[in-house]
Amino acid sequence: MDKSMSGWINGFLGVLIFSASLPATRVAVIDLDPVFLTAARAAIAGLLGLCLLLAFRQTRPQRSDLLPLIVVALSVVVGFPLLTALALKHVSSAHSIVFIGLLPLATASFGVLRGGERPRPVFWLFSCLGSTLVAGFAMTQGFVASPVGDLLMLAAVIICGLGYAEGARLSRKLGGWQVISWALVLSLPVMVTLSAMTFPDSLADVGRPAWLGLAYVSVFSMLVGFVFWYRGLAQGGIAAVGQLQLLQPFFGLMLAALLLHEAVSWPMVAVTAGVALCVAGAKRFAR
């Protein structure tokens, strides 16, 4: 298997894991404070990342790697989780699909700025078309307008695109799981302290779904997903593999159909097929 194909497979697995992140966050913030949720998920994942680094005896990053790691920590460990958790207090997880559809464009743009990639013009055509299909489909599902929620989601997407591109660039040197683990460890002291300060006053007010949501975003969204995602971006190209995020909303809907027995409409299937073609086109013309 060549490196490019391996990158797409790893990227696909990462997107599949991330697909349940927003629904899980939505469930969690019903009973948990968004700041506590952000701090707790980072603290739990940070402890797991520290165990991995110690178990595999990883050497410390060089001084030149610290600034990029701080950028990754501020963007994907703190920024995106906090901003989306705050946004989901104002909007539904379905509404957030509109903005997740913009994430591939943000990732590709930062891939050009930070990763030195130069996709062909046709790539941008497929990328924009795919984002338009996702946003258009989400709008047909209906949503409640919230300027605060929209601005928070827009900021989250921009910050996340930066974190994805910076982490992927650094993964070429340190390795995918090492990058997210070191970023989590850097933020660990602050996140543990913040978790303690914002811990719920009464556990009786927190239902089991909220704890399950916290568990998912801590282990899978914050750590396991990034192991595959950063490896995929590093191997297959930030701009190209980043287009797989266009499929993320539809994976989430399919999971809802399988686990929650929700109906899957023909328009959803048709749009998913169209998005898949856009991803294939973007892959072909990425370089």
Side-chain angles (χ1 to χ4, degrees):
M1 182 185 302
D2 61 45
K3 192 174 183 180
S4 176
M5 181 57 66
S6 176
W8 280 83
I9 292 174
N10 281 298
F12 178 85
L13 292 174
V15 166
L16 194 60
I17 292 171
F18 290 151
S19 297
S21 296
L22 288 177
T25 300
R26 177 63 176 170
V27 170
V29 295
I30 294 175
D31 294 337
L32 295 172
D33 178 77
V35 176
F36 169 75
L37 177 64
T38 301
R41 66 187 281 180
I44 294 170
L47 291 172
L48 293 174
L50 179 60
C51 291
L52 285 174
L53 292 170
L54 292 175
F56 289 96
R57 300 180 179 180
Q58 296 296 300
T59 57
R60 293 181 181 180
Q62 297 178 1
R63 182 175 299 180
S64 60
D65 299 327
L66 290 180
L67 183 57
L69 283 172
I70 291 173
V71 172
V72 173
L74 290 176
S75 55
V76 302
V77 175
V78 180
F80 183 76
L82 178 59
L83 290 171
T84 53
L86 291 171
L88 288 169
K89 297 288 283 187
H90 301 276
V91 300
S92 67
S93 57
H95 177 70
S96 64
I97 291 176
V98 176
F99 297 91
I100 295 301
L102 300 175
L103 190 51
L105 275 176
T107 304
S109 298
F110 281 112
V112 170
L113 294 173
R114 297 295 300 149
E117 299 186 357
R118 294 293 182 268
R120 302 182 199 177
V122 180
F123 163 85
W124 296 107
L125 175 63
F126 279 109
S127 181
C128 290
L129 179 59
S131 295
T132 301
L133 284 173
V134 172
F137 173 79
M139 290 179 183
T140 65
Q141 304 308 295
F143 56 84
V144 178
S146 171
V148 174
D150 288 352
L151 288 174
L152 288 168
M153 280 302 304
L154 182 60
V157 165
I158 295 172
I159 288 175
C160 190
L162 172 60
Y164 282 169
E166 197 68 26
R169 188 176 67 89
L170 195 57
S171 293
R172 295 166 182 164
K173 177 181 179 182
L174 300 181
W177 72 267
Q178 291 93 334
V179 167
I180 189 60
S181 294
W182 283 118
L184 286 165
V185 169
L186 282 176
S187 63
L188 189 56
V190 175
M191 294 296 104
V192 169
T193 302
L194 192 57
S195 298
M197 293 174 60
T198 57
F199 196 82
D201 294 329
S202 174
L203 296 181
D205 297 332
V206 183
R208 180 178 295 179
W211 291 121
L212 291 175
L214 172 59
Y216 186 89
V217 297
S218 300
V219 177
F220 293 97
S221 304
M222 199 78 267
L223 182 60
V224 177
F226 277 102
V227 173
F228 294 103
W229 183 239
Y230 276 152
R231 184 187 300 166
L233 291 175
Q235 291 179 332
I238 298 169
V241 175
Q243 298 308 301
L244 285 169
Q245 294 166 107
L246 289 171
L247 298 173
Q248 183 172 324
F250 303 101
F251 289 153
L253 291 172
M254 285 188 288
L255 289 172
L258 291 172
L259 301 177
L260 304 178
H261 306 292
E262 295 181 1
V264 178
S265 65
W266 280 109
M268 186 181 73
V269 175
V271 172
T272 303
V275 169
L277 290 175
C278 290
V279 173
K283 177 181 183 298
R284 181 173 182 179
F285 295 102
R287 297 177 180 178

